C-alpha cells in the first residue's frame, strides 16, 4: 500500500484530477469506477477545468454505489453528484457511463448488469473511493466479505446518520447497492482519497490493523496497487 500526503485539500484534489486526466490521455478507453461523496467534488470540478473536450468519449465509467430507494435526481445520489460535478459540465456522452439504479425493483439484476460491464472489461483500470468513518469502502460495510462482486448491503447506523449530510431533508436510508471489494481487488489501481482531521483515526486503523472484513478499508493492504492519497489533516496519525 502506497501512501501519499498532500499539504491541503486543494493539493490533494489537483493531484487526483491530474492523475485521472493523464491516465485517460494514456489510455482513452480506460474503465473507471468513480465515487460520490464530498471528498471528490473538488477533484471533479478541477477536471472540468483541466480536461480537453472529448477526453472521456471512449472511456467506460461506472458509479461506485447508490442508495437504495433514492432517485437519481436526488442531490444525495451518487449519480447526481458525479453527473453534476463532472460528467454534465464536460458534456460526457451518457452512453459511456452508468450508475446503479437505486429505484430498480430487481436489484440483483442491477448487480449483475454492473458486474458484467466490469468483468467484460477485465476489471477497472482505476477505482477511486472515499473512506467512511467506520472504514466502509463504497457501501461495503464492516463485515462484508472481501470476495463479493456487486451486491446489496444493509447500511451501518453511522452510514445512515453521516449520509444525511448529502441530502437537504432528513432521508430514510436503509440499504445500499455497491461495487464489491472483489472488483476493487481486480482494479489495476485503487485509491482512497481522504481529507480532513475527522478521517485521521480511520486512516490510522486502515494502515495499522490486520486486513479484516470487519474493517473493509484494510483490503487496501492486500491490493497490488492500492494507494491512499490524503491531505495532511487526514494523514496526521499515519
Ligand atoms: P465523504 O464520504 O467523501 O463524503 O467523506 C466518504 C465515504 O463515506 O465513502
Amino acid at each position: 500500500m502506497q501512501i501519499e500526503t498532500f499539504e491541503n485539500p486543494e493539493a490533494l484534489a489537483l493531484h487526483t484530477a491530474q492523475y485521472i486526466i493523464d491516465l485517460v490521455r494514456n489510455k482513452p478507453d480506460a474503465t473507471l469506477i468513480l465515487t460520490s461523496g464530498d471528498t471528490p467534488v473538488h477533484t471533479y470540478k478541477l477536471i472540468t477545468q483541466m480536461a480537453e473536450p472529448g477526453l472521456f468519449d471512449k472511456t467506460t465509467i461506472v458509479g461506485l454505489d447508490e442508495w437504495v430507494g433514492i432517485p437519481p435526481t436526488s442531490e444525495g445520489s451518487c449519480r447526481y453528484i458525479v453527473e453534476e460535478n463532472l460528467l454534465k459540465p464536460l458534456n460526457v456522452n451518457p452512453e459511456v457511463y452508468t450508475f446503479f439504479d437505486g429505484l430498480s425493483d430487481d436489484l440483483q439484476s442491477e448487480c449483475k448488469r454492473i458486474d458484467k460491464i466490469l468483468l467484460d472489461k477485465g476489471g477497472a483500470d482505476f477505482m477511486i473511493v472515499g473512506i467512511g468513518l467506520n472504514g466502509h469502502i463504497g457501501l461495503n460495510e464492516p463485515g462484508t466479505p472481501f470476495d463479493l462482486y456487486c451486491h446489496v448491503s444493509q447500511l451501518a447506523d453511522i452510514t445512515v446518520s453521516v449520509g444525511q449530510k448529502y441530502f437537504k431533508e432528513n432521508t430514510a436510508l436503509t440499504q445500499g447497492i455497491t461495487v464489491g471489494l472483489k472488483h476493487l481487488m481486480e482494479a489495476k489501481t485503487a485509491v482512497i482519497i481522504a481529507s480532513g482531521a475527522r478521517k485521521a483515526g480511520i486512516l490510522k486503523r486502515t494502515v495499522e490493523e490486520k486486513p479484516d472484513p470487519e474493517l473493509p478499508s484494510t483490503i487496501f493492504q492486500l491490493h497490488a496497487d492500492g494507494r491512499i492519497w490524503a491531505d495532511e489533516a487526514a494523514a496526521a496519525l499515519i
Side-chain angles (χ1 to χ4, degrees):
M1 186 166 52
Q2 186 197 92
I3 302 167
E4 268 184 86
T5 303
F6 300 89
E7 197 176 351
N8 50 43
E10 290 73 29
L12 167 66
L14 184 60
H15 172 82
T16 309
Q18 191 65 60
Y19 184 96
I20 293 172
I21 289 170
D22 289 345
L23 184 143
V24 177
R25 282 184 186 150
N26 289 328
K27 187 174 183 192
D29 64 347
T31 299
L32 312 173
I33 300 173
L34 298 183
T35 184
S36 63
D38 288 337
T39 315
V41 167
H42 191 43
T43 295
Y44 294 158
K45 289 192 168 145
L46 283 177
I47 293 175
T48 67
Q49 295 162 20
M50 294 160 60
E52 54 277 17
L55 179 65
F56 291 92
D57 280 0
K58 295 196 178 78
T59 58
T60 300
I61 296 173
V62 171
L64 175 64
D65 54 20
E66 204 54 273
W67 308 107
V68 169
I70 300 298
T73 49
S74 162
E75 71 282 354
S77 78
C78 178
R79 181 180 194 115
Y80 186 91
I81 291 169
V82 181
E83 269 192 332
E84 295 302 314
N85 291 294
L86 178 71
L87 302 173
K88 283 186 180 169
L90 272 178
N91 282 321
V92 178
N93 183 346
E95 281 180 14
V96 311
Y97 66 82
T98 192
F99 291 80
F100 289 106
D101 176 5
L103 291 183
S104 171
D105 53 16
D106 187 352
L107 295 171
Q108 294 313 320
S109 298
E110 271 301 281
C111 290
K112 291 203 181 88
R113 181 177 72 81
I114 301 289
D115 281 341
K116 182 166 173 10
I117 292 168
L118 293 172
L119 294 171
D120 285 353
K121 292 285 174 186
D125 293 288
F126 181 74
M127 175 164 173
I128 187 165
V129 301
I131 183 168
L133 297 177
N134 63 353
H136 77 197
I137 294 295
L139 291 172
N140 293 279
E141 298 284 19
T144 306
F146 284 170
D147 62 352
L148 285 188
Y149 283 131
C150 296
H151 60 100
V152 175
S153 68
Q154 276 313 117
L155 300 177
D157 291 347
I158 187 169
T159 302
V160 172
S161 56
V162 172
Q164 299 305 317
K165 70 179 175 164
Y166 306 117
F167 298 91
K168 288 196 191 96
E169 283 160 12
N170 200 27
T171 301
L173 303 171
T174 50
Q175 289 183 310
I177 181 167
T178 185
V179 167
L181 297 174
K182 192 163 185 188
H183 287 302
L184 184 136
M185 286 303 283
E186 292 176 5
K188 288 188 189 68
T189 300
V191 179
I192 294 175
I193 47 168
S195 175
R198 71 198 168 96
K199 297 291 172 74
I202 194 63
L203 281 192
K204 179 179 164 69
R205 292 187 60 201
T206 299
V207 170
E208 292 183 359
E209 292 189 17
K210 217 166 66 278
D212 184 339
E214 289 305 323
L215 194 62
S217 53
T218 54
I219 196 171
F220 273 76
Q221 295 179 33
L222 306 175
H223 197 284
D225 187 13
R227 309 181 189 195
I228 296 176
W229 294 345
D231 64 17
E232 276 179 3
L237 301 176
I238 56 177

